[in-house]
Amino acid sequence: MGWGEGEALALTMTIEQPRAPLTPNRSPGSAGGTGAKRVDLLQRLATHTSERAAAGLLRRTRTIDHAEGPWLEVDGRRLLAFCSNDYLGLAGHPQLIAAFKRVADDEGVGSTAAHLVCGHRREHAMLEEALAEWTGRERALLFSTGYMANLGAMQALLGRGDLCVQDRLNHACLLDGATLAGATLKRYPHGDAAAAARQLAVEPGAAALLATDGVFSMDGDRAPLRELATLCRHEGATLMVDDAHGLGVLGPDGAGSVAEAGLGMREVPVLMATLGKALGTHGAFVAGPATLIEDLTQFARTFVYSTAMPPALAAAALAAVRLARTDGWRREKLAASIARFRQGAARLDLPLAPSDTPIQPLLLGDAAAALAAATALEERGLLVTAIRPPTVPVGQARLRVTLSAAHEEEHVDRLLDALAALPRAHGQAPV
Ligand SMILES: *Cc1c(COP(=O)(O)O)cnc(C)c1O
């Protein structure tokens, strides 16, 4: 098997069905102290894995031995990668590395405690300030990861009996956030603001959060943010945008998809974004009104009860924010690569999705076809991730091509040449 799904596949976009026990939890009259026989949890889980293997959907981690810009060394081979989220090519930038080293030298590595204990260092405070200023919000609050930021914010905002309306293709952690908060989760068809309106209207009395990805992580298209903001204003619902893939890439100075849509703090009071994608580092934040940040400081459990990120990491992320804001040429180079890829792919009649962001999925339909394509590309020295169910809906398996400012024109051309050489699946229709 070729390059399966690595990091991207830690995400589960679809909600996995609650797994029914394979055998009853208790069978009266069987042996044991209380007359009950328990199901062995490890065995049950192993059975689910076997089922997934039988369906050809097993996932595995591959170890990258060395990374240098878009080049990765895997199993003794140097491969040109089109699967990282390092959209601006900042992950290996000398200024990030220098900032990281300087603070690690001076302060050590670990923050040693949660923010509210004694883990909140000057580097965190400076980063929060820079993020708030960049996104045009009063304040920002750091979290250890995007997953934790969404869980924490949603669990603080929502409770039982509340309504959480979400795009069907939202990231897994937004879905989990609503579910774990005990809210009633309703999912509307992708990008359909009218359907979202109908779902909100069903429970006009319930407190409601409408949550959406700004840029959809597996599709690369944008949410209809202005329509959703208008809807939320009419319905008295709160709008939350997860801009993991928009920050650094879209909008004035890379301030993200919300800034690009011209929406301020009043329209989008809850703005979340990550530092592990275009900013090339790790971690995440929620930005918004000072009152919201104060409230999250009290009630977001994933903030309160989790160790602060290493201060050296915060310093590296601050260097990344500065570069992302000022190096407009990175966004221009990225845009040129996106255009070059799309033109080439259109000439080849490849099943391109309608996206103008660095996420350029090629929709192949069947999971086996996506995996075969990824394997064929790898044989030609290219690493592109096949994304299969349950990360995407059944029948919508794809190659998730991602582009970066670290790619040169000849890299994009090499990818197009390799895609041109792929055997075409019979009856495969362009999108
Ligand atoms: C990657 C991602 C996250 C999770 O962020 P991590 O920092 O990787 O945990 C959340 N939302 C979206 C839309 C993402 O793409």
Side-chain angles (χ1 to χ4, degrees):
M1 186 161 57
W3 180 255
E5 295 131 289
E7 149 199 327
L9 263 204
L11 328 167
T12 304
M13 251 23 98
T14 45
I15 293 183
E16 294 184 50
Q17 292 305 313
R19 293 173 300 198
L22 298 172
T23 50
N25 275 324
R26 281 166 180 274
S27 48
S30 60
T34 58
K37 183 168 169 11
R38 290 186 204 285
V39 164
D40 183 295
L41 290 176
L42 271 60
Q43 214 163 54
R44 184 175 72 189
L45 184 59
T47 308
H48 291 304
T49 302
S50 319
E51 286 166 0
R52 184 167 276 190
L57 292 174
L58 207 59
R59 301 159 167 202
R60 68 198 177 106
T61 307
R62 288 181 75 187
T63 302
I64 309 296
D65 292 312
H66 182 64
E68 205 174 316
W71 293 95
L72 300 179
E73 206 180 292
V74 195
D75 301 333
R77 291 181 68 210
R78 212 165 106 89
L79 302 174
L80 180 59
F82 290 90
C83 43
S84 99
N85 300 315
D86 183 22
Y87 303 128
L88 297 179
L90 291 176
H93 194 286
Q95 287 185 29
L96 272 67
I97 297 167
F100 191 95
K101 280 185 177 162
R102 182 169 28 77
V103 175
D105 278 345
D106 291 352
E107 312 283 331
V109 175
S111 71
T112 77
H115 286 275
L116 292 174
V117 179
C118 60
H120 190 70
R121 309 287 185 84
R122 197 159 56 106
E123 290 75 17
H124 298 120
M126 287 168 68
L127 176 58
E128 286 179 341
E129 228 170 88
L131 291 167
E133 201 212 323
W134 189 21
T135 55
R137 265 63 189 161
E138 286 172 4
R139 282 188 62 193
L141 189 70
L142 291 173
F143 287 80
S144 55
T145 68
Y147 213 120
M148 290 297 133
N150 281 338
L151 292 193
M154 295 176 101
Q155 163 263 321
L157 286 164
L158 293 167
R160 218 159 287 286
D162 294 340
L163 180 62
C164 187
V165 173
Q166 299 202 17
D167 191 291
R168 183 159 278 285
L169 296 188
N170 271 357
H171 191 271
C173 57
L174 286 170
L175 303 172
D176 290 355
T179 308
L180 294 176
T184 303
L185 173 62
K186 291 205 188 300
R187 303 165 76 204
Y188 56 87
H190 182 49
D192 189 344
R198 287 193 293 276
Q199 292 184 342
L200 281 171
V202 170
E203 291 196 52
L209 181 73
L210 192 156
T212 183
D213 284 15
V215 173
F216 289 88
S217 53
M218 295 298 130
D219 292 72
D221 57 339
R222 295 171 177 70
L225 291 179
R226 295 189 64 85
E227 283 174 70
L228 295 174
T230 304
L231 167 63
C232 284
R233 186 156 39 80
H234 285 153
E235 290 288 332
T238 300
L239 181 56
M240 171 172 183
V241 176
D242 173 338
D243 208 22
H245 297 278
L247 187 73
V249 173
L250 301 177
D253 296 334
S257 66
V258 174
E260 182 188 50
L263 298 172
M265 201 168 64
R266 214 154 34 94
E267 292 92 356
V268 182
V270 191
L271 172 62
M272 173 274 185
T274 66
L275 309 174
K277 285 160 183 157
L279 292 171
T281 55
H282 188 90
F285 67 97
V286 174
T291 47
L292 169 72
I293 300 308
E294 177 60 28
D295 300 340
L296 292 180
T297 303
Q298 310 308 315
F299 295 109
R301 295 169 64 83
T302 56
F303 170 79
V304 175
Y305 298 108
S306 195
T307 301
M309 70 167 68
L313 191 56
L318 179 59
V321 169
R322 289 178 177 149
L323 286 166
R325 291 187 74 167
T326 53
D327 283 5
W329 65 265
R330 291 178 188 277
R331 275 180 289 280
E332 282 160 28
K333 188 176 172 198
L334 177 59
S337 285
I338 294 167
R340 191 177 187 87
F341 176 74
R342 288 192 67 79
Q343 280 156 16
R347 264 197 306 276
L348 295 171
D349 212 17
L350 296 174
L352 263 185
S355 154
D356 62 355
T357 69
I359 302 166
Q360 292 291 325
L362 294 171
L363 300 168
L364 301 180
D366 163 11
L371 210 52
T375 305
L377 290 176
E378 187 172 333
E379 278 159 12
R380 298 178 67 107
L382 297 156
L383 208 50
V384 183
T385 315
I387 306 285
R388 302 167 293 169
T391 303
V392 291
V394 172
Q396 294 187 26
R398 63 197 64 188
L399 284 178
R400 180 179 181 263
V401 172
T402 53
L403 296 162
S404 162
H407 289 125
E408 303 299 335
E409 278 184 359
E410 67 257 29
H411 296 155
V412 176
D413 292 347
R414 216 176 125 184
L415 173 62
L416 288 166
D417 288 347
L419 288 168
L422 284 182
R424 291 302 188 95
H426 187 67
Q428 175 190 305
V431 171

